[in-house]
Amino acid sequence: MTATATSRLPDVSGSAFNLRSFLHGLPGVDKVGVEARAASLGTRSVKTTAKAAAIDLAIRMVDLTTLEGSDTPGKVRALSAKAVRPDPSDPTCPSVAAICVYPAMVPVAAEVLAGTGVHLASVATAFPSGQAPLDVKLADTRDAVAGGADEIDMVISRGAFLSGRYDHVYDEIVAVKEACGSAHLKVILETGELGTYDNVRRASWLAMLAGADFIKTSTGKVPVAATLPVTLVMLEAVRDFRAQTGRQVGVKPAGGIRTTKDAIKYLVLINETVGDDWLDPDWFRFGASSLLNDLLMQRTKLTTGHYAGPDYFTLD
Amino acid sequence: MFEYAPAPESRSVVDIAPSYGLFINGEFVPASSSGGVFKTVNPASEEVLAEVASAGAEDVDLAVAAARRAFGPWSALPGAERAKYLFRIARIIQERSRELAVLESLDNGKPIKESRDVDLPLVAAYFFYYAGWADKLAYAGFGANPQPLGVAAQVIPWNFPLMMLAWKIAPALAAGNTVVLKPAETTPLSALFFADICRQADLPPGVVNIITGAGETGRTLVEHPDVNKVAFTGSTEVGRQIARSVAGTRKRLTLELGGKAANIVFDDAPIDQAVEGIVNGIFFNQGHVCCAGSRLLVQESAYDEVLTALKRRMATLRVGDPLDKNTDIGAINSAAQLARIRELSDIGASEGAERWSPPCELPSQGFWFAPTIFTGVTQAHRIAREEIFGPVLSVLTFRTPDEAIEKANNTPYGLSAGVWTEKGSLILAMADKLRAGVVWANTFNKFDPTSPFGGYKESGYGREGGRHGLEAYLA
C-alpha cells in the first residue's frame, strides 16, 4: 500500500458518526439487478480445457472445513492428511489451500500440516454466534494463533451491526486483527442474517476499513449461507476498496457450495467482476467440506472419461 | 488465467431445407410468375442458409383471399375454441424452443444466450397470455361484444423475428382476426418454421398465412384493398409511407417505429446495477432494439464513476460466434445495416465526439461491429439524434432532474426511457414527465406479455402487449 493510497482511506475510526455517514453514503445495491446479473453469469458454459483448469484452481482454493461439536483429533488428522493429498491415486492433484477447524483442534492439525504449505485456519471469536465478551474473543484468537493457526476466521457481532452500532463492530475487528499478529484475518459477515444487499456492502466495507485481510460470507451454521449474488456484492466491494485505497482484500464464500458446477459459477463471477487478480488461492477461498470430493470426481471424469463411484474417493 | 473454451450449441437440432415456398391457405406453395426467389444468409458467416420465395402481387392476392375465406369460420368459433389453438401453438413453441432458438441465431446473428433465454420464452409467453384472453374479450373493457376487424396485414422487422411475430399474431388470432404476415427479407426462416407449427397445431388453413419477400412485397400487402388492419414494426421512414398509403382508407393502423431512448443515471443510483442496465440497454441484441437505451444521460457528479465502471464492464463483453453459449454480442444482421452503423459512427467521430471500444478481436467472416461508446456528445451531434440501431452508445451529461427531462424529451422519438436512482419519489416524478411509451425504473429492456408497449411521437402509435394490444384488433 502506497502512502498516497493510505491517505485516501476514509477517516472513519474517529467517530461513530463519520463511520455511519460513510457506510450509508456507499452506492446502493438493487436487489433485482444484482440477482439477475449473478444468474446470468451462472449460465456461462465452462467445458473441456477451461473446466480442467477451473477444477484444479477450485481445489487449490478450498478451505477444507470441519466445524462439528463432535470433531475429534482423529477426525481432524484424517482431514488434514486429505488436505495435503486430496487424491492419493493421482499425484498431479494439487493440495487444498487450508484446513479450517475449531481452536481446540488447531494443535492437532498443525502437527500434520507442518511443512506442507497448506495453511491452517481456525474459527476463533466465539464462533458461530459471536455473542461473547471481547476479552473472550481475543483470548480465543490468541490461543488459536499460539497453537499454530496462520489464518483466523472471526465472526462479527451481527446484533451490534443490525442495531447500527457500527463503531462497536469496527473496534472489535481492529482488536482481533491486533490479536492475530501475523496471522491473516478473515471476517465472517454472516450475510444470511444481514437481511439486505445494502447491509452486505456496508458490512464488507466496515470489515475492510477495520483491517480485514479477507471477507467471508457465512459460518455455515445459519440456513442461508453463501449465495452468488451476495458474493457478487462482496467482490464489487473489494474491487472498489482496492480502487480507493490500493489495498487488496480476499473473498471467501462459505457454506452450501457442494458441487463443481457451483464452484465454477463462483470462478466465473470472479473472472468477470474483479478479474485475474483474484483468481488465486491468496485472494479467493471456498469454505466447504463436501465440495472437494465432487471436484475430485469431476477431475477424474475429465482425465479418464468415466465417472467413478464415491468409493473411489476418501471419506475425509 | 481462465479462458472459456468454445461452447457451441449444436446446429444439428435444426433442419433447414434448401428452399422454402410461401405459406398460403395451410400449404407451402412456390411463388407465382409475378414473384421470385431470394437467399437468406447467416450474418455471422455469410453462408447461404436457404432460398426463399419472394411473393409477387398475385401471391399477395392469394394470401389475402385465403385469410378472407378463413375469417368467417375462425371468427365464428367460440373464444374458448380459438384459445385451444393458441395454447397448442404455445406448447409446441416450448417443445421446439431449442430448435427455434438455434434457427433464430443462425438467421439473425443474435447470440444463442438471448434467443434461448429471452426470445423463445417470451414468444411462448405471448401466445399463452393471449390464449387466456380469447374467451374473455367481452371483459377486456372494449364494450360488451367486441368484434374482430377481419384480415390483418402484418409486417415485421428483422431484429426479433419470432418475438415480433408473436406480438402480432397472438392478439390478432385471439380476437378472431386472420392474418397475412410478412417477415423481414433477411430473417424469414423462423416465420416459415412457425408456419409448420401452425400445421402441427391443426390450425384451420388460411387463418395464418406467411408470405416472404422484401419491401415491395410488404408494400403490396399493406396496400391490398381487402385488408382491414395493418400492423407494422420497423423504421420510421417506412412507417410514414405506410401511414400515407393507409390514409383515407377504412384500414386500421398500428405502428411501432424507431427510437432514441434516454437512459438516465442519477448520482445516487445503484451504480453496479446501473452499469448492467446501460450495457443491457444498448448492447442487448447488438443494439438492434427499437427501444434501446442509445442515449446515456449521466448526472455530472457521477460521471467519472459511471464511465470508469462502464468501460471496465464493456471490456468483459464477449463478441463472436452467435451459437457459442458464452457469446454476449453476436453479428450485425446484414451488410447494409453494418454499413449504416459504420457511417453514423464515423460521423460521430468527425463531429468531435470521443470514440471508445474495448479491445476485442472480431471474426474475419461475417458482419461485425465492436461495442462502442461516444463520450463528449451533445444534443447537437447527429449520433445523439438519429437512430443507429447498432451497439453504439452516446454519452451525455446533465446537472438537475429538470435538465434530464428536457434532454430526454428533446428527440423526435418517444418509445422508451430508463431512470436509475435509489429515490422512489424521483422515479415517479420522472416517469410522469418523460414522454415515452415505456419508462423502466432501475432496469432496462424488460418485456412482459401483460405490459403494453408502444410509442409517442415518431416512435409510432397504438400499443402492443397486454389488454391494450387486443384493442388494436377489435372494433
Side-chain angles (χ1 to χ4, degrees):
Chain A
M1 186 167 40
T2 66
T4 357
T6 317
S7 65
R8 292 176 65 192
L9 262 173
D11 178 26
V12 295
S13 54
S15 94
F17 178 81
N18 283 357
L19 185 53
R20 182 187 167 80
S21 304
F22 176 78
L23 294 177
H24 283 258
L26 292 167
V29 184
D30 187 81
K31 180 173 187 282
V32 175
V34 77
E35 288 175 358
R37 173 71 177 146
S40 103
L41 286 176
T43 66
R44 288 291 194 212
S45 186
V46 177
K47 304 276 186 220
T48 59
T49 50
K51 187 173 180 184
I55 288 175
D56 277 12
L57 180 57
I59 291 173
R60 290 169 49 224
M61 287 174 163
V62 167
D63 279 6
L64 196 58
T65 301
T66 182
L67 296 170
E68 299 302 329
S70 56
D71 285 347
T72 60
K75 162 88 177 170
V76 170
R77 258 184 232 114
L79 201 68
S80 305
K82 178 161 184 167
V84 178
R85 200 140 41 90
D87 186 350
S89 64
D90 183 355
T92 66
C93 180
S95 302
V96 303
I99 277 286
C100 185
V101 293
Y102 274 119
M105 290 296 158
V106 164
V108 181
E111 212 180 293
V112 186
L113 297 180
T116 61
V118 174
H119 292 283
L120 174 50
S122 181
V123 289
T125 68
F127 183 92
S129 71
Q131 299 278 19
L134 182 60
D135 52 356
V136 174
K137 294 180 179 179
L138 295 178
D140 209 11
T141 306
R142 286 191 199 102
D143 276 359
V145 175
D150 60 352
E151 297 180 354
I152 296 296
D153 291 24
M154 81 167 280
V155 288
I156 63 165
S157 300
R158 282 83 77 190
F161 182 89
L162 291 169
S163 60
R165 289 182 288 132
Y166 301 128
D167 54 328
H168 177 88
V169 180
Y170 179 91
D171 292 342
E172 272 199 347
I173 298 172
V174 169
V176 174
K177 169 74 182 167
E178 203 189 320
C180 281
S182 63
H184 272 237
L185 177 63
K186 304 193 195 108
V187 177
I188 305 173
L189 311 177
E190 196 67 296
T191 52
E193 292 183 344
L194 295 184
T196 68
Y197 293 112
D198 285 332
N199 274 346
V200 171
R201 177 166 287 179
R202 285 175 194 144
S204 301
W205 274 84
L206 178 59
M208 292 187 290
L209 290 169
D213 298 300
F214 255 77
I215 50 176
K216 175 176 169 183
T217 59
S218 323
T219 60
K221 302 291 183 192
V222 304
V224 180
T227 67
L228 283 174
V230 154
T231 309
L232 176 55
V233 171
M234 289 166 63
L235 285 168
E236 288 166 357
V238 296
R239 179 196 68 200
D240 295 346
F241 185 79
R242 189 179 72 170
Q244 284 300 311
T245 68
R247 189 160 79 81
Q248 186 162 338
V249 173
V251 176
K252 177 178 171 183
I257 305 164
R258 295 193 179 85
T259 64
T260 302
K261 206 171 174 177
D262 284 343
I264 288 177
K265 287 181 184 179
Y266 282 91
L267 296 182
V268 167
L269 216 59
I270 309 171
N271 192 35
E272 303 208 20
T273 310
V274 289
D276 281 355
D277 293 352
W278 270 268
L279 278 171
D280 185 295
D282 282 348
W283 301 109
F284 196 85
R285 296 283 180 81
F286 289 109
S289 46
S290 58
L291 170 64
L292 182 58
N293 266 20
D294 193 64
L295 287 166
L296 295 176
M297 215 181 282
Q298 296 292 339
R299 193 175 186 277
T300 310
K301 159 72 168 56
L302 280 182
T303 48
T304 66
H306 310 286
Y307 277 111
D311 286 349
Y312 289 82
F313 302 93
T314 56
L315 273 177
D316 53 25
Chain B
M1 180 144 196
F2 177 7
E3 279 297 315
Y4 304 140
E9 174 65 88
S10 168
R11 64 177 286 177
S12 66
V13 295
V14 54
D15 191 8
I16 302 173
S19 73
Y20 287 91
L22 309 168
F23 184 70
I24 296 175
N25 205 31
E27 297 294 336
F28 279 105
V29 295
S32 68
S33 56
S34 67
V37 291
F38 63 99
K39 292 179 167 60
T40 185
V41 303
N42 177 348
S45 65
E46 301 175 56
E47 161 210 9
V48 173
L49 292 171
E51 196 173 81
V52 180
S54 175
E58 276 176 62
D59 305 303
V60 174
D61 265 345
L62 286 172
V64 173
R68 176 65 57 202
R69 281 196 303 278
F71 173 65
W74 176 252
S75 57
L77 280 182
E81 287 301 310
R82 289 199 305 275
K84 280 186 200 171
Y85 287 106
L86 287 170
F87 277 124
R88 209 181 285 163
I89 288 170
R91 287 196 305 267
I92 297 171
I93 287 169
Q94 286 185 320
E95 281 162 15
R96 295 177 64 173
S97 68
R98 185 168 158 149
E99 172 194 4
L100 294 167
V102 172
L103 176 75
E104 195 84 323
S105 284
L106 281 172
D107 203 18
N108 171 282
K110 63 173 68 197
I112 185 75
K113 187 173 97 167
E114 287 173 11
S115 53
R116 175 195 66 191
D117 296 346
V118 182
D119 290 24
L120 262 296
L122 278 170
V123 169
Y126 274 85
F127 276 99
F128 275 122
Y129 175 75
Y130 281 111
W133 269 118
D135 61 349
K136 303 174 193 71
L137 299 175
Y139 309 100
F142 310 124
N145 188 23
Q147 294 301 312
L149 301 173
V151 174
Q154 307 179 321
V155 178
I156 59 172
W158 46 261
N159 57 343
F160 292 93
L162 209 44
M163 195 152 90
M164 291 300 104
L165 174 148
W167 285 25
K168 296 277 184 297
I169 290 184
L173 297 195
N177 303 273
T178 55
V179 307
V180 181
L181 177 126
K182 188 200 87 70
E185 69 268 30
T186 60
T187 56
L189 293 181
S190 52
L192 295 166
F193 274 58
F194 179 79
D196 185 52
I197 288 171
C198 292
R199 291 210 294 201
Q200 207 182 333
D202 281 330
L203 192 72
V207 173
V208 169
N209 305 275
I210 312 270
I211 55 170
T212 43
E216 194 49 39
T217 307
R219 185 203 310 271
T220 314
L221 172 61
V222 164
E223 291 177 0
H224 195 284
D226 200 27
V227 158
N228 304 98
K229 150 86 191 176
V230 173
F232 171 75
T233 296
S235 73
T236 296
E237 190 190 321
V238 177
R240 277 198 201 99
Q241 292 169 17
I242 291 176
R244 274 188 216 110
S245 78
V246 167
T249 70
R250 296 181 63 85
K251 291 174 194 171
R252 295 263 293 256
L253 177 64
T254 45
L255 298 170
E256 297 289 357
L257 310 174
K260 192 72 190 174
N263 203 357
I264 304 165
V265 179
F266 286 96
D267 61 3
D268 71 335
I271 297 292
D272 288 305
Q273 288 75 52
V275 166
E276 283 311 310
I278 296 164
V279 167
N280 186 42
I282 185 64
F283 301 124
F284 177 66
N285 202 33
Q286 298 76 248
H288 300 331
V289 184
C290 46
C291 51
S294 52
R295 281 186 300 149
L296 174 64
L297 298 181
V298 189
Q299 194 157 22
E300 278 186 22
S301 45
Y303 179 81
D304 290 342
E305 195 182 354
V306 170
L307 259 287
T308 306
L310 176 60
K311 288 182 175 176
R312 182 179 60 217
R313 173 68 177 87
M314 281 172 68
T316 67
L317 288 170
R318 306 167 61 84
V319 185
D321 179 8
L323 283 193
D324 190 320
K325 292 167 197 158
N326 292 327
T327 292
D328 297 316
I329 298 188
I332 301 301
N333 182 250
S334 65
Q337 186 57 29
L338 179 60
R340 160 122 182 119
I341 296 169
R342 282 186 177 149
E343 186 200 338
L344 277 162
S345 302
D346 291 344
I347 289 171
S350 71
E351 283 177 342
E354 193 182 328
R355 179 182 186 152
W356 185 87
S357 290
C360 71
E361 223 169 283
L362 300 178
S364 51
Q365 281 279 303
F367 316 127
W368 304 91
F369 196 87
T372 298
I373 57 174
F374 280 100
T375 51
V377 179
T378 71
Q379 294 288 94
H381 284 85
R382 263 182 78 186
I383 47 169
R385 309 205 68 80
E386 289 181 33
E387 185 177 38
I388 300 176
F389 222 64
V392 181
L393 178 69
S394 298
V395 185
L396 299 90
T397 59
F398 68 94
R399 293 160 299 178
T400 62
D402 284 347
E403 187 181 351
I405 300 263
E406 275 182 358
K407 284 188 169 164
N409 286 340
N410 179 219
T411 165
Y413 297 108
L415 195 47
S416 68
V419 179
W420 298 82
T421 168
E422 287 279 271
K423 204 168 166 113
S425 57
L426 182 57
I427 288 174
L428 295 175
M430 294 291 288
D432 210 29
K433 292 173 190 150
L434 286 165
R435 279 182 289 147
V438 182
V439 178
W440 283 292
N442 289 343
T443 188
F444 211 93
N445 271 346
K446 289 282 177 288
F447 306 98
D448 189 289
T450 64
S451 173
F453 180 94
Y456 276 55
K457 301 192 275 186
E458 290 187 15
S459 289
Y461 41 79
R463 303 283 182 272
E464 291 186 298
R467 194 180 59 84
H468 305 68
L470 286 170
E471 192 177 10
Y473 290 94
L474 290 171

